[in-house]
Amino acid sequence: MDKDSSYKKTLKSTAVFGGAQAIQMLITILRAKLIAVIFGSHGMGINAIFQSTISIISSFSSFGIFQSAVRDISQEFENGDEKKLSRINLIFNRMVWAVGCFGLLVCLFGAFWLSKIAFQNFDYSIHFLILSLGIFFSALSNGQTVFLQGTRNLTALAKASIVGAFLSLLISIPLFYYFGILGIAISIASGSLILYITQYYLTRKIKLDKTINLTVKETIAAGKPILKLGTVLMLGMVILTGFTYLTNIFIGRYGKIADVGFFQGISSITTQSIAIVIAVLASDFFPRLSAIFQDRQKVKVMVNQQAELVSLIIAPISVILITAAPIIVKVLLSKEFLIMVPMLRLLALSLLARGIWLIMSYVILANGDKKAYLIYDSLIGNGLLFICNVFAYKVWGLNGLAISSLIASIGISVILMTVVKIKYGFGFDKGFIKIFFMLILLAVSAYFGVYVLKGWPQYSFSFFLGILTFGYSLFILNKRIGILNRVKSFLESKN
């Protein structure tokens, strides 16, 4: 496959799944808006602690099989052997049910202690009992997601994401009003159930060899490679979610729960703004990269193209978040969060570095390098972010967390690029580097512009920077694949 065809395929995958993620992102933001309006920053803080608790238990109890199995399923799908694909799917499904039950039991029997650790009382024990069901159905849902990712069935995955998120939002509204804070836990658990049911309905028609059967002993033996890599990935995820959990607990202990809500509310805006990029990297880029990881030249082409595309998408988002931060905060959250506008702008400035961080992580994972991923990405990377967060919060308060995020994201990206260069001989080409630094210049200009200028000059400059950034991204895309001609041809065909 030539470079142009590969770039078109990458862009098409991004457009198909990215469109669905945009809708899902909007629905997630609306849910956060509901919590912010109904419960305020205190409710946002409780929701953040619930979500981080679920994440760390799910990461620990899953033993990393979801990240590990994507690699195996994508390779078997690439080989085109239906029997082998059916066999690995059977093994993986059995492992999914096992880890799902394990996660449920951990949360169920640890509910009282989880409430004590998170809130310093037992008042939220019933909430964690309910969340145990969310962990179980989330595991089953993740299992379906992995199979769809590995078999490149992005259309079904996109449909399930949209329908599941929309139905979850609909039931959340009465739950919040009727059950109050308890409704947050119920909505999380029911959302996981709805998503699983939706995905199961869409995947049941996929043809697989149903005659394959394995004993428990054979399943365990065949599942060891998945479990071996998965255990390392699980440790990485536990470290990541653990540091996130400790950050929330640290802010709540040395500040107040409302501070956790402020931090998570603003962080959710930046996270959701690039949710499309994150989802595409996990759902399309990683499986495709895993399937060709032995061909270094193909890997180099794919990674450079994906990095360029990701940066061209993130840059306009970053500039919009920086220049329109007050409006975005009022629309997506509430006026209570306006004091956090400086944090949002700094976090937006770190998004380009976060994109590189993610891509480098997937390069390491696609190579199956367990040790490098655990040490450099999970331990050093997230450890550095946590240390920076603690120091910055003590010195500068909540806005310091944005400063630490910017510094840590840049530092971790540089560390991972160095590791990838030394271990695999991979580096970005000059064309991408030139584009990347141009995008950084535009984002930095937008950031300083909103503080140096005031009134109409600021609005005019911000509008100009936004148009310039979007125009530059469109110019590069048009240069690569002639996107304007494609749009023109499409419109003409409809007339």
Side-chain angles (χ1 to χ4, degrees):
M1 181 181 294
D2 57 38
K3 290 186 178 181
D4 287 344
S5 298
S6 179
Y7 201 99
K8 290 174 185 176
K9 186 176 181 180
T10 300
L11 183 60
K12 183 179 179 180
S13 299
T14 302
V16 170
F17 193 64
Q21 285 301 304
I23 298 173
Q24 186 181 9
M25 174 188 71
L26 178 61
I27 294 172
T28 302
I29 290 174
L30 287 174
R31 182 181 181 277
K33 172 76 173 180
L34 278 174
I35 295 176
V37 171
I38 296 172
F39 304 113
S41 57
H42 182 74
M44 290 287 287
I46 291 174
N47 179 66
I49 290 176
F50 284 166
Q51 295 285 6
S52 57
T53 301
I54 285 179
S55 294
I56 195 169
I57 293 176
S58 297
S59 298
F60 168 74
S61 62
S62 70
F63 296 97
I65 65 169
F66 300 117
Q67 299 93 330
S68 177
V70 169
R71 188 170 180 269
D72 292 81
I73 292 173
S74 63
Q75 288 175 359
E76 295 301 343
F77 178 76
E78 185 75 13
N79 293 333
D81 192 323
E82 184 180 316
K83 285 192 174 181
K84 287 186 177 180
L85 179 62
S86 301
R87 186 173 183 272
I88 194 69
N89 183 60
L90 175 62
I91 295 166
F92 175 61
N93 274 336
R94 290 179 177 178
M95 297 176 76
V96 167
W97 278 84
V99 300
C101 291
F102 180 52
L104 181 147
L105 293 175
V106 169
C107 190
L108 193 66
F109 289 107
F112 295 97
W113 295 110
L114 290 170
S115 178
K116 180 66 175 177
I117 293 171
F119 299 100
Q120 302 181 60
N121 56 58
F122 296 110
D123 297 346
Y124 293 88
S125 300
I126 185 66
H127 298 71
F128 286 105
L129 289 172
I130 294 171
L131 289 173
S132 65
L133 292 173
I135 291 173
F136 174 71
F137 289 113
S138 179
L140 300 186
S141 172
N142 287 336
Q144 297 289 339
T145 299
V146 166
F147 180 72
L148 292 172
Q149 289 173 346
T151 56
R152 317 285 201 281
N153 203 330
L154 297 185
T155 301
L157 185 57
K159 288 180 181 177
S161 299
I162 294 173
V163 174
F166 180 72
L167 293 177
S168 296
L169 176 65
L170 284 182
I171 67 166
S172 293
I173 298 172
L175 289 175
F176 291 159
Y177 277 102
Y178 188 78
F179 293 101
I181 291 293
L182 183 63
I184 296 177
I186 299 174
S187 71
I188 292 173
S190 57
S192 298
L193 172 60
I194 290 171
L195 182 58
Y196 168 65
I197 293 173
T198 305
Q199 289 178 326
Y200 179 79
Y201 176 78
L202 291 173
T203 57
R204 64 191 179 92
K205 295 180 180 179
I206 296 176
K207 293 182 179 181
L208 289 171
D209 190 342
K210 305 294 185 181
T211 62
I212 294 176
N213 193 20
L214 297 169
T215 64
V216 175
K217 186 176 181 180
E218 289 172 334
T219 302
I220 294 173
K224 281 184 178 179
I226 295 176
L227 194 60
K228 189 175 181 179
L229 175 60
T231 301
V232 175
L233 298 179
M234 176 270 289
L235 291 174
M237 289 301 297
V238 168
I239 291 171
L240 169 61
T241 52
F243 279 131
T244 301
Y245 184 73
L246 289 174
T247 299
N248 288 335
I249 297 299
F250 176 82
I251 296 171
R253 291 277 178 89
Y254 290 92
K256 49 189 176 182
I257 293 296
D259 283 354
V260 181
F262 280 126
F263 175 52
Q264 292 299 324
I266 296 300
S267 296
S268 68
I269 292 178
T270 55
T271 301
Q272 289 301 318
S273 69
I274 61 169
I276 295 172
V277 173
I278 295 172
V280 170
L281 288 176
S283 303
D284 179 63
F285 174 63
F286 178 49
R288 288 196 296 125
L289 190 64
S290 297
I292 63 164
F293 77 96
Q294 292 179 332
D295 190 327
R296 297 299 184 190
Q297 185 57 38
K298 286 185 179 180
V299 168
K300 183 177 181 179
V301 171
M302 182 182 292
V303 173
N304 270 280
Q305 290 177 345
Q306 191 72 59
E308 183 179 294
L309 189 57
V310 163
S311 299
L312 291 172
I313 293 172
I314 289 179
I317 294 173
S318 178
V319 171
I320 291 171
L321 289 176
I322 291 169
T323 56
I327 299 173
I328 292 171
V329 168
K330 282 193 290 187
V331 172
L332 299 184
L333 296 173
S334 66
K335 291 183 179 179
E336 182 185 6
F337 288 80
L338 282 175
I339 59 172
M340 305 311 300
V341 164
M343 171 185 275
L344 177 57
R345 284 171 169 159
L346 278 169
L347 287 175
L349 201 58
S350 69
L351 291 180
L352 281 166
R354 286 174 62 182
I356 300 301
W357 178 358
L358 284 169
I359 289 172
M360 292 296 98
S361 296
Y362 282 120
V363 172
I364 295 173
L365 281 176
N367 279 273
D369 197 334
K370 301 182 288 293
K371 185 177 179 181
Y373 174 77
L374 184 61
I375 294 175
Y376 298 107
D377 186 288
S378 301
L379 193 58
I380 295 178
N382 294 295
L384 176 63
L385 178 59
F386 174 71
I387 292 171
C388 288
N389 281 340
V390 170
F391 175 79
Y393 182 70
K394 294 286 285 185
V395 176
W396 296 297
L398 278 172
N399 285 321
L401 294 172
I403 297 173
S404 66
S405 179
L406 176 60
I407 294 172
S409 295
I410 295 172
I412 297 164
S413 298
V414 172
I415 290 171
L416 293 182
M417 283 191 294
T418 303
V419 170
V420 169
K421 177 67 175 178
I422 293 173
K423 293 182 71 67
Y424 318 123
F426 169 81
F428 289 118
D429 58 37
K430 292 181 180 179
F432 167 72
I433 294 173
K434 181 180 178 180
I435 292 171
F436 185 74
F437 278 103
M438 180 62 185
L439 295 172
I440 289 178
L441 178 61
L442 290 169
V444 171
S445 298
Y447 179 79
F448 284 106
V450 297
Y451 289 109
V452 173
L453 302 173
K454 300 297 179 183
W456 284 109
Q458 181 197 107
Y459 302 143
S460 300
F461 181 75
S462 296
F463 180 77
F464 171 74
L465 253 296
I467 295 297
L468 183 61
T469 307
F470 178 79
Y472 180 74
S473 295
L474 186 60
F475 170 76
I476 297 299
L477 288 174
N478 187 57
K479 187 178 178 181
R480 294 287 184 265
I481 61 169
I483 193 170
L484 293 179
N485 288 331
R486 289 175 173 273
V487 172
K488 183 179 178 180
S489 299
F490 175 77
L491 292 176
E492 289 176 348
S493 66
K494 294 297 180 180
N495 295 329

